[in-house]
């Protein structure tokens, strides 16, 4: 969704019932925030909410970053 600011914003929805431990949730949050930080200059001023699925819990960090990069590019093209 477009925001009225000058920069993109990130929201995270990482469910406890899906990821269980705080370690698993924080790992996903850390990877997502870092990916967003690196790619935010290419994004329009939109609000982005990332909702992690159960498959993300077992995924390698490299795979998560690749998936997030694909999503950032898709958002940049759409907006």
């Amino acid at each position: 969704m477009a925001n009225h600011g000058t920069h993109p914003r990130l929201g995270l929805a990482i469910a406890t019932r899906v990821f269980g431990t705080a370690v698993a949730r924080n790992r996903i949050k850390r990877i997502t925030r870092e990916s967003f930080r690196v790619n935010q200059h290419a994004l329009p001023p939109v609000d982005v909410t990332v909702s992690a699925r159960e498959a993300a819990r077992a995924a390698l960090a490299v795979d998560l970053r690749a998936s997030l990069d694909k999503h950032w590019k898709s958002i940049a093209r759409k907006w």
Side-chain angles (χ1 to χ4, degrees):
M1 173 192 314
N3 68 34
H4 299 292
T6 59
H7 59 281
R9 297 186 299 184
L10 176 67
L12 297 171
I14 314 298
T16 303
R17 66 176 179 80
V18 174
F19 285 89
T21 66
V23 173
R25 289 192 309 276
N26 289 336
R27 175 180 168 267
I28 298 298
K29 290 179 192 178
R30 188 172 51 251
I31 291 169
T32 304
R33 286 186 189 122
E34 177 64 15
S35 178
F36 179 78
R37 186 188 66 77
V38 169
N39 291 286
Q40 69 182 345
H41 67 280
L43 295 173
V46 295
D47 293 337
V48 179
T49 303
V50 174
S51 177
R53 305 288 182 203
E54 190 169 345
R57 180 176 41 182
L60 297 174
V62 174
D63 296 333
L64 291 172
R65 287 185 189 99
S67 177
L68 287 166
D69 286 343
K70 184 177 82 171
H71 288 296
W72 302 141
K73 288 176 185 171
S74 172
I75 291 168
R77 275 193 312 269
K78 180 178 178 182
W79 290 93

Coordinates of all heavy atoms in Angstrom, one line a residue:
M1 N 0.8 -1.2 0.0 CA 0.0 0.0 0.0 C 0.9 1.2 0.0 O 1.9 1.3 0.7 CB -0.9 0.0 1.2 CG -1.7 1.3 1.4 SD -2.5 1.6 2.9 CE -3.3 0.1 3.3
A2 N 0.6 2.2 -0.8 CA 1.3 3.5 -0.8 C 1.2 4.2 0.5 O 0.1 4.2 1.1 CB 0.8 4.3 -2.0
N3 N 2.3 4.8 1.0 CA 2.2 5.6 2.2 C 2.4 7.1 1.8 O 2.7 7.4 0.6 CB 3.2 5.2 3.2 CG 4.6 5.4 2.9 OD1 5.0 6.3 2.2 ND2 5.5 4.5 3.3
H4 N 2.2 8.0 2.7 CA 2.3 9.4 2.4 C 3.6 10.0 2.7 O 3.8 11.2 2.7 CB 1.2 10.2 3.1 CG -0.2 9.7 2.7 ND1 -0.7 10.0 1.5 CD2 -1.1 9.0 3.4 CE1 -1.9 9.4 1.4 NE2 -2.2 8.8 2.5
G5 N 4.6 9.1 3.0 CA 5.9 9.5 3.4 C 6.8 9.6 2.1 O 6.3 9.5 1.0
T6 N 8.1 9.7 2.4 CA 9.1 9.8 1.3 C 9.9 8.5 1.2 O 10.8 8.4 0.4 CB 10.0 11.0 1.5 OG1 10.7 10.8 2.8 CG2 9.2 12.3 1.5
H7 N 9.6 7.5 2.0 CA 10.4 6.3 2.1 C 9.6 5.1 2.4 O 8.5 5.2 2.9 CB 11.6 6.4 3.1 CG 11.1 6.6 4.5 ND1 10.6 7.9 4.9 CD2 10.9 5.8 5.5 CE1 10.2 7.7 6.2 NE2 10.4 6.5 6.6
P8 N 10.0 3.9 2.0 CA 9.2 2.7 2.3 C 9.3 2.3 3.7 O 10.3 2.7 4.4 CB 9.9 1.6 1.4 CG 11.3 2.1 1.2 CD 11.2 3.6 1.2
R9 N 8.3 1.6 4.2 CA 8.3 1.2 5.6 C 8.0 -0.3 5.6 O 7.4 -0.9 4.8 CB 7.2 1.9 6.4 CG 7.4 3.4 6.5 CD 6.4 4.1 7.4 NE 5.1 3.9 6.9 CZ 4.0 4.5 7.5 NH1 4.2 5.2 8.5 NH2 2.8 4.3 7.0
L10 N 8.6 -1.0 6.6 CA 8.5 -2.4 6.8 C 7.7 -2.8 8.0 O 8.0 -2.3 9.1 CB 9.9 -3.0 6.8 CG 10.0 -4.5 7.1 CD1 9.5 -5.3 5.8 CD2 11.5 -4.9 7.3
G11 N 6.8 -3.8 7.8 CA 6.1 -4.4 9.0 C 6.3 -5.9 8.9 O 6.4 -6.5 7.9
L12 N 6.5 -6.5 10.1 CA 6.7 -7.9 10.2 C 5.6 -8.6 10.9 O 5.2 -8.2 12.0 CB 8.0 -8.2 10.9 CG 9.3 -7.6 10.2 CD1 10.5 -7.8 11.1 CD2 9.5 -8.4 8.9
A13 N 5.1 -9.7 10.4 CA 4.1 -10.6 11.1 C 4.7 -12.0 11.1 O 4.5 -12.8 10.2 CB 2.8 -10.5 10.3
I14 N 5.3 -12.3 12.2 CA 6.0 -13.6 12.4 C 5.3 -14.3 13.6 O 5.5 -13.9 14.7 CB 7.5 -13.4 12.8 CG1 8.2 -12.4 11.8 CG2 8.2 -14.7 12.8 CD1 8.1 -12.8 10.4
A15 N 4.4 -15.2 13.3 CA 3.5 -15.9 14.2 C 4.3 -16.8 15.2 O 5.1 -17.6 14.7 CB 2.4 -16.6 13.5
T16 N 4.0 -16.7 16.4 CA 4.6 -17.6 17.4 C 4.2 -19.0 17.2 O 5.0 -20.0 17.3 CB 4.2 -17.2 18.9 OG1 4.5 -15.8 19.1 CG2 4.8 -18.0 19.9
R17 N 2.9 -19.3 16.8 CA 2.5 -20.7 16.6 C 3.1 -21.3 15.4 O 3.3 -22.5 15.4 CB 1.0 -20.7 16.5 CG 0.5 -20.0 15.2 CD -1.1 -20.2 15.1 NE -1.5 -19.6 13.9 CZ -1.4 -20.1 12.7 NH1 -0.9 -21.2 12.5 NH2 -1.9 -19.4 11.6
V18 N 3.6 -20.5 14.5 CA 4.3 -21.1 13.3 C 5.8 -21.4 13.6 O 6.3 -22.4 13.3 CB 4.1 -20.2 12.1 CG1 5.0 -20.7 10.9 CG2 2.7 -20.1 11.7
F19 N 6.4 -20.4 14.3 CA 7.9 -20.5 14.5 C 8.3 -21.0 15.8 O 9.4 -21.4 16.0 CB 8.5 -19.1 14.2 CG 8.6 -18.9 12.7 CD1 7.6 -18.2 12.1 CD2 9.7 -19.3 12.0 CE1 7.6 -18.0 10.7 CE2 9.8 -19.1 10.6 CZ 8.7 -18.4 10.0
G20 N 7.4 -20.9 16.8 CA 7.7 -21.4 18.1 C 8.7 -20.6 18.9 O 8.3 -19.7 19.6
T21 N 9.9 -20.9 18.8 CA 10.9 -20.3 19.7 C 11.2 -18.9 19.2 O 11.1 -18.5 18.1 CB 12.2 -21.1 19.7 OG1 12.8 -21.0 18.4 CG2 12.0 -22.5 20.1
A22 N 11.7 -18.1 20.2 CA 12.1 -16.7 19.9 C 13.3 -16.7 19.0 O 13.5 -15.8 18.2 CB 12.4 -16.0 21.2
V23 N 14.1 -17.7 19.1 CA 15.3 -17.8 18.3 C 15.0 -17.9 16.8 O 15.5 -17.2 16.0 CB 16.2 -19.0 18.7 CG1 17.4 -19.2 17.7 CG2 16.7 -18.8 20.1
A24 N 14.0 -18.7 16.5 CA 13.5 -18.9 15.1 C 12.9 -17.6 14.6 O 13.1 -17.2 13.5 CB 12.6 -20.1 15.1
R25 N 12.0 -17.0 15.4 CA 11.4 -15.8 15.0 C 12.4 -14.6 14.8 O 12.3 -13.9 13.8 CB 10.3 -15.3 16.0 CG 9.1 -16.2 16.1 CD 8.0 -15.6 16.9 NE 8.4 -15.2 18.3 CZ 8.5 -15.9 19.3 NH1 8.2 -17.2 19.2 NH2 8.8 -15.4 20.5
N26 N 13.3 -14.5 15.7 CA 14.3 -13.4 15.5 C 15.2 -13.6 14.3 O 15.7 -12.7 13.7 CB 15.1 -13.3 16.8 CG 14.3 -12.7 17.9 OD1 13.3 -12.0 17.7 ND2 14.7 -13.0 19.2
R27 N 15.5 -14.9 14.0 CA 16.3 -15.2 12.8 C 15.6 -14.7 11.6 O 16.2 -14.0 10.7 CB 16.5 -16.7 12.7 CG 17.3 -17.1 11.5 CD 17.4 -18.7 11.5 NE 17.9 -19.1 10.2 CZ 17.1 -19.5 9.2 NH1 15.8 -19.6 9.4 NH2 17.6 -19.9 8.0
I28 N 14.3 -15.0 11.4 CA 13.6 -14.5 10.3 C 13.5 -13.0 10.2 O 13.7 -12.3 9.2 CB 12.2 -15.1 10.3 CG1 12.2 -16.6 10.2 CG2 11.3 -14.5 9.2 CD1 12.8 -17.2 8.9
K29 N 13.2 -12.4 11.4 CA 13.2 -10.9 11.5 C 14.5 -10.3 11.1 O 14.5 -9.3 10.3 CB 12.8 -10.5 12.9 CG 11.4 -10.8 13.3 CD 11.2 -10.3 14.7 CE 9.9 -10.8 15.3 NZ 9.7 -10.4 16.7
R30 N 15.6 -10.8 11.6 CA 16.9 -10.3 11.3 C 17.2 -10.3 9.8 O 17.7 -9.3 9.2 CB 18.0 -11.0 12.1 CG 19.3 -10.5 12.1 CD 20.3 -11.1 13.1 NE 20.3 -12.6 13.0 CZ 19.7 -13.4 13.8 NH1 19.2 -13.0 14.9 NH2 19.8 -14.7 13.6
I31 N 17.0 -11.5 9.2 CA 17.2 -11.6 7.8 C 16.4 -10.7 6.9 O 16.8 -10.0 6.0 CB 17.1 -13.1 7.3 CG1 18.2 -13.9 8.0 CG2 17.0 -13.2 5.8 CD1 17.9 -15.4 7.9
T32 N 15.1 -10.6 7.3 CA 14.2 -9.7 6.6 C 14.5 -8.2 6.7 O 14.6 -7.5 5.7 CB 12.7 -9.9 7.1 OG1 12.4 -11.3 7.0 CG2 11.7 -9.1 6.3
R33 N 14.9 -7.8 7.9 CA 15.3 -6.4 8.1 C 16.5 -6.1 7.3 O 16.6 -5.0 6.7 CB 15.5 -6.1 9.6 CG 14.2 -6.0 10.4 CD 14.5 -5.6 11.8 NE 13.3 -5.6 12.6 CZ 13.1 -6.4 13.7 NH1 14.2 -7.1 14.2 NH2 12.0 -6.4 14.4
E34 N 17.5 -6.9 7.4 CA 18.7 -6.7 6.6 C 18.5 -6.6 5.1 O 19.0 -5.7 4.5 CB 19.8 -7.8 6.9 CG 21.0 -7.7 6.2 CD 21.9 -6.4 6.5 OE1 21.6 -5.8 7.5 OE2 22.8 -6.1 5.7
S35 N 17.7 -7.5 4.6 CA 17.4 -7.5 3.2 C 16.6 -6.2 2.8 O 16.9 -5.6 1.8 CB 16.5 -8.7 2.8 OG 16.2 -8.7 1.5
F36 N 15.7 -5.8 3.7 CA 14.9 -4.6 3.4 C 15.9 -3.4 3.4 O 15.8 -2.5 2.6 CB 13.8 -4.4 4.5 CG 13.0 -3.1 4.3 CD1 12.1 -3.1 3.3 CD2 13.3 -2.0 5.1 CE1 11.3 -1.9 3.2 CE2 12.5 -0.9 5.0 CZ 11.5 -0.8 4.0
R37 N 16.8 -3.3 4.4 CA 17.7 -2.2 4.5 C 18.6 -2.1 3.3 O 18.8 -1.0 2.8 CB 18.6 -2.4 5.7 CG 19.5 -1.2 6.0 CD 20.6 -1.5 7.1 NE 21.5 -2.6 6.7 CZ 22.5 -2.3 5.9 NH1 22.8 -1.2 5.4 NH2 23.4 -3.3 5.6
V38 N 19.0 -3.2 2.7 CA 19.9 -3.2 1.5 C 19.1 -2.8 0.3 O 19.6 -2.1 -0.6 CB 20.5 -4.6 1.3 CG1 21.2 -4.7 0.0 CG2 21.5 -4.9 2.4
N39 N 17.8 -3.1 0.2 CA 17.0 -2.9 -1.0 C 16.1 -1.7 -0.9 O 15.4 -1.4 -1.9 CB 16.2 -4.2 -1.3 CG 17.1 -5.3 -1.7 OD1 17.6 -5.3 -2.9 ND2 17.3 -6.3 -0.9
Q40 N 16.0 -1.0 0.2 CA 15.0 0.0 0.4 C 15.2 1.2 -0.6 O 14.2 1.9 -0.9 CB 14.9 0.5 1.8 CG 16.1 1.3 2.3 CD 15.9 1.7 3.7 OE1 14.8 1.6 4.3 NE2 17.0 2.1 4.4
H41 N 16.4 1.4 -1.0 CA 16.6 2.5 -1.9 C 16.0 2.3 -3.3 O 15.7 3.3 -4.0 CB 18.1 2.8 -2.1 CG 18.8 1.6 -2.8 ND1 19.2 0.5 -2.2 CD2 19.1 1.5 -4.1 CE1 19.7 -0.4 -3.0 NE2 19.7 0.2 -4.2
A42 N 15.7 1.1 -3.6 CA 15.1 0.8 -4.9 C 13.6 0.7 -4.8 O 12.9 0.6 -5.9 CB 15.6 -0.5 -5.5
L43 N 13.0 0.8 -3.6 CA 11.6 0.7 -3.4 C 10.9 2.1 -3.4 O 11.5 3.0 -2.9 CB 11.3 0.0 -2.1 CG 11.7 -1.5 -2.0 CD1 11.5 -2.0 -0.6 CD2 11.0 -2.3 -3.0
P44 N 9.7 2.1 -3.9 CA 8.9 3.4 -3.8 C 8.4 3.6 -2.4 O 8.5 2.7 -1.6 CB 7.7 3.1 -4.8 CG 7.6 1.6 -4.8 CD 9.0 1.1 -4.6
P45 N 7.8 4.7 -2.1 CA 7.3 4.9 -0.7 C 6.0 4.1 -0.5 O 4.9 4.6 -0.7 CB 7.1 6.4 -0.7 CG 6.9 6.9 -2.1 CD 7.7 5.9 -2.9
V46 N 6.2 2.9 -0.1 CA 5.1 2.0 0.2 C 5.2 1.4 1.6 O 6.3 1.3 2.1 CB 4.9 0.9 -0.9 CG1 4.6 1.5 -2.2 CG2 6.2 0.1 -0.9
D47 N 4.1 0.9 2.1 CA 4.2 0.1 3.3 C 4.2 -1.4 3.0 O 3.3 -1.8 2.2 CB 3.0 0.4 4.2 CG 2.9 1.8 4.8 OD1 4.0 2.4 4.9 OD2 1.9 2.3 5.1
V48 N 5.2 -2.1 3.4 CA 5.3 -3.5 3.1 C 5.2 -4.3 4.4 O 5.9 -4.0 5.4 CB 6.7 -3.8 2.4 CG1 6.9 -5.3 2.1 CG2 6.9 -2.9 1.2
T49 N 4.3 -5.3 4.4 CA 4.2 -6.2 5.5 C 4.7 -7.6 5.1 O 4.2 -8.2 4.1 CB 2.7 -6.3 6.0 OG1 2.3 -5.0 6.3 CG2 2.6 -7.2 7.2
V50 N 5.6 -8.2 5.8 CA 6.1 -9.5 5.5 C 5.5 -10.5 6.5 O 5.6 -10.3 7.7 CB 7.7 -9.5 5.6 CG1 8.2 -11.0 5.4 CG2 8.3 -8.6 4.6
S51 N 4.8 -11.5 6.0 CA 4.2 -12.5 6.8 C 4.9 -13.8 6.5 O 4.8 -14.4 5.4 CB 2.7 -12.6 6.5 OG 2.2 -13.7 7.2
A52 N 5.7 -14.3 7.4 CA 6.5 -15.5 7.1 C 5.7 -16.8 7.2 O 4.8 -16.9 8.1 CB 7.7 -15.6 8.1
R53 N 5.9 -17.7 6.3 CA 5.2 -19.0 6.3 C 6.0 -20.0 7.0 O 7.2 -19.9 7.3 CB 4.9 -19.4 4.9 CG 4.2 -18.4 4.1 CD 2.7 -18.4 4.5 NE 2.0 -17.4 3.7 CZ 0.9 -16.8 4.1 NH1 0.4 -17.1 5.3 NH2 0.3 -16.0 3.3
E54 N 5.4 -21.2 7.3 CA 6.1 -22.3 8.0 C 7.4 -22.8 7.3 O 8.4 -23.1 7.9 CB 5.2 -23.4 8.2 CG 5.7 -24.5 9.2 CD 4.7 -25.5 9.6 OE1 3.5 -25.2 9.4 OE2 5.1 -26.5 10.1
A55 N 7.4 -22.7 5.9 CA 8.5 -23.2 5.2 C 9.8 -22.4 5.4 O 10.9 -22.8 5.3 CB 8.2 -23.2 3.7
A56 N 9.6 -21.1 5.8 CA 10.7 -20.2 6.1 C 11.5 -20.7 7.3 O 12.7 -20.4 7.4 CB 10.2 -18.8 6.3
R57 N 10.8 -21.4 8.2 CA 11.5 -21.8 9.4 C 12.7 -22.8 9.1 O 13.8 -22.7 9.7 CB 10.6 -22.5 10.3 CG 11.2 -23.0 11.6 CD 10.2 -23.6 12.6 NE 9.2 -24.5 11.9 CZ 8.3 -25.1 12.6 NH1 8.2 -25.0 13.9 NH2 7.4 -25.8 11.9
A58 N 12.5 -23.6 8.1 CA 13.6 -24.6 7.8 C 14.5 -24.2 6.6 O 15.4 -24.8 6.3 CB 12.9 -25.9 7.4
A59 N 14.1 -23.0 6.0 CA 14.8 -22.6 4.8 C 16.2 -22.0 5.2 O 16.4 -21.5 6.3 CB 14.1 -21.5 4.1
L60 N 17.2 -22.2 4.3 CA 18.5 -21.6 4.5 C 18.4 -20.1 4.3 O 17.6 -19.6 3.6 CB 19.5 -22.2 3.5 CG 19.7 -23.7 3.5 CD1 20.6 -24.1 2.4 CD2 20.3 -24.1 4.8
A61 N 19.3 -19.4 5.0 CA 19.4 -18.0 4.9 C 19.6 -17.5 3.5 O 18.9 -16.5 3.1 CB 20.5 -17.4 5.8
V62 N 20.3 -18.2 2.7 CA 20.6 -17.8 1.3 C 19.3 -17.9 0.5 O 19.0 -17.0 -0.3 CB 21.6 -18.7 0.7 CG1 21.8 -18.5 -0.8 CG2 23.0 -18.6 1.4
D63 N 18.5 -18.9 0.8 CA 17.2 -19.0 0.1 C 16.2 -18.0 0.5 O 15.5 -17.4 -0.3 CB 16.6 -20.4 0.3 CG 17.5 -21.5 -0.2 OD1 18.2 -21.3 -1.2 OD2 17.4 -22.7 0.3
L64 N 16.2 -17.6 1.8 CA 15.3 -16.6 2.3 C 15.7 -15.2 1.6 O 14.8 -14.5 1.2 CB 15.4 -16.4 3.8 CG 14.8 -17.6 4.6 CD1 15.1 -17.4 6.1 CD2 13.3 -17.7 4.4
R65 N 17.0 -14.9 1.6 CA 17.4 -13.7 1.0 C 17.1 -13.6 -0.5 O 16.6 -12.6 -1.0 CB 18.9 -13.5 1.2 CG 19.3 -13.1 2.6 CD 20.8 -12.8 2.7 NE 21.2 -12.7 4.1 CZ 21.7 -13.7 4.8 NH1 22.0 -14.8 4.3 NH2 22.0 -13.5 6.1
A66 N 17.2 -14.7 -1.2 CA 16.9 -14.8 -2.6 C 15.4 -14.5 -2.8 O 15.0 -13.8 -3.7 CB 17.3 -16.1 -3.2
S67 N 14.6 -15.2 -2.0 CA 13.1 -15.0 -2.1 C 12.7 -13.5 -1.8 O 11.9 -12.9 -2.5 CB 12.4 -15.9 -1.1 OG 11.0 -15.7 -1.1
L68 N 13.3 -13.0 -0.8 CA 13.0 -11.6 -0.4 C 13.5 -10.6 -1.6 O 12.7 -9.7 -1.9 CB 13.7 -11.2 0.9 CG 13.1 -11.8 2.1 CD1 14.0 -11.6 3.3 CD2 11.7 -11.1 2.4
D69 N 14.6 -10.9 -2.1 CA 15.1 -10.0 -3.3 C 14.1 -10.1 -4.4 O 13.8 -9.0 -5.0 CB 16.5 -10.5 -3.7 CG 17.6 -10.1 -2.8 OD1 17.4 -9.2 -2.0 OD2 18.7 -10.7 -2.9
K70 N 13.6 -11.3 -4.7 CA 12.6 -11.4 -5.7 C 11.3 -10.6 -5.4 O 10.8 -9.9 -6.3 CB 12.2 -12.9 -5.9 CG 11.3 -13.2 -7.1 CD 11.0 -14.6 -7.2 CE 9.9 -15.0 -6.2 NZ 9.4 -16.4 -6.4
H71 N 10.9 -10.6 -4.2 CA 9.7 -9.9 -3.8 C 10.0 -8.4 -3.8 O 9.1 -7.6 -4.2 CB 9.3 -10.3 -2.4 CG 8.6 -11.6 -2.3 ND1 7.5 -11.9 -3.0 CD2 9.0 -12.8 -1.7 CE1 7.2 -13.2 -2.8 NE2 8.1 -13.7 -2.0
W72 N 11.1 -7.9 -3.4 CA 11.4 -6.5 -3.5 C 11.4 -6.0 -4.9 O 10.9 -4.9 -5.2 CB 12.8 -6.1 -2.9 CG 13.1 -6.5 -1.5 CD1 14.2 -7.1 -1.0 CD2 12.2 -6.5 -0.4 NE1 14.1 -7.3 0.4 CE2 12.9 -7.0 0.8 CE3 10.9 -6.0 -0.2 CZ2 12.3 -7.0 2.0 CZ3 10.3 -6.1 1.1 CH2 11.0 -6.6 2.2
K73 N 11.9 -6.8 -5.9 CA 11.9 -6.4 -7.3 C 10.5 -6.4 -7.8 O 10.2 -5.5 -8.6 CB 12.8 -7.4 -8.1 CG 14.3 -7.2 -7.8 CD 15.1 -8.2 -8.5 CE 16.6 -8.0 -8.1 NZ 17.4 -9.1 -8.6
S74 N 9.7 -7.3 -7.4 CA 8.3 -7.3 -7.8 C 7.5 -6.1 -7.3 O 6.8 -5.5 -8.1 CB 7.6 -8.6 -7.3 OG 6.3 -8.6 -7.5
I75 N 7.8 -5.7 -6.1 CA 7.2 -4.5 -5.5 C 7.6 -3.3 -6.3 O 6.8 -2.4 -6.6 CB 7.5 -4.4 -4.0 CG1 6.8 -5.5 -3.3 CG2 7.1 -3.0 -3.5 CD1 7.2 -5.6 -1.8
A76 N 8.9 -3.2 -6.6 CA 9.4 -2.0 -7.3 C 8.8 -1.9 -8.7 O 8.5 -0.8 -9.2 CB 10.9 -2.1 -7.4
R77 N 8.6 -3.1 -9.4 CA 8.0 -3.0 -10.7 C 6.5 -2.7 -10.6 O 6.0 -1.9 -11.5 CB 8.1 -4.4 -11.4 CG 9.4 -4.7 -12.1 CD 9.3 -5.9 -12.9 NE 8.7 -7.1 -12.3 CZ 9.4 -8.0 -11.6 NH1 10.7 -7.9 -11.5 NH2 8.8 -9.0 -11.1
K78 N 5.8 -3.2 -9.7 CA 4.4 -3.0 -9.6 C 4.0 -1.5 -9.2 O 3.1 -0.9 -9.8 CB 3.8 -3.9 -8.5 CG 2.3 -3.7 -8.3 CD 1.7 -4.7 -7.3 CE 0.3 -4.4 -7.1 NZ -0.3 -5.3 -6.1
W79 N 4.8 -0.9 -8.4 CA 4.5 0.5 -7.9 C 5.3 1.5 -8.7 O 5.3 2.6 -8.6 CB 4.8 0.6 -6.4 CG 3.8 -0.1 -5.6 CD1 3.9 -1.4 -5.2 CD2 2.5 0.3 -5.2 NE1 2.8 -1.8 -4.5 CE2 1.9 -0.8 -4.5 CE3 1.8 1.5 -5.3 CZ2 0.7 -0.7 -4.0 CZ3 0.6 1.5 -4.8 CH2 0.0 0.5 -4.1

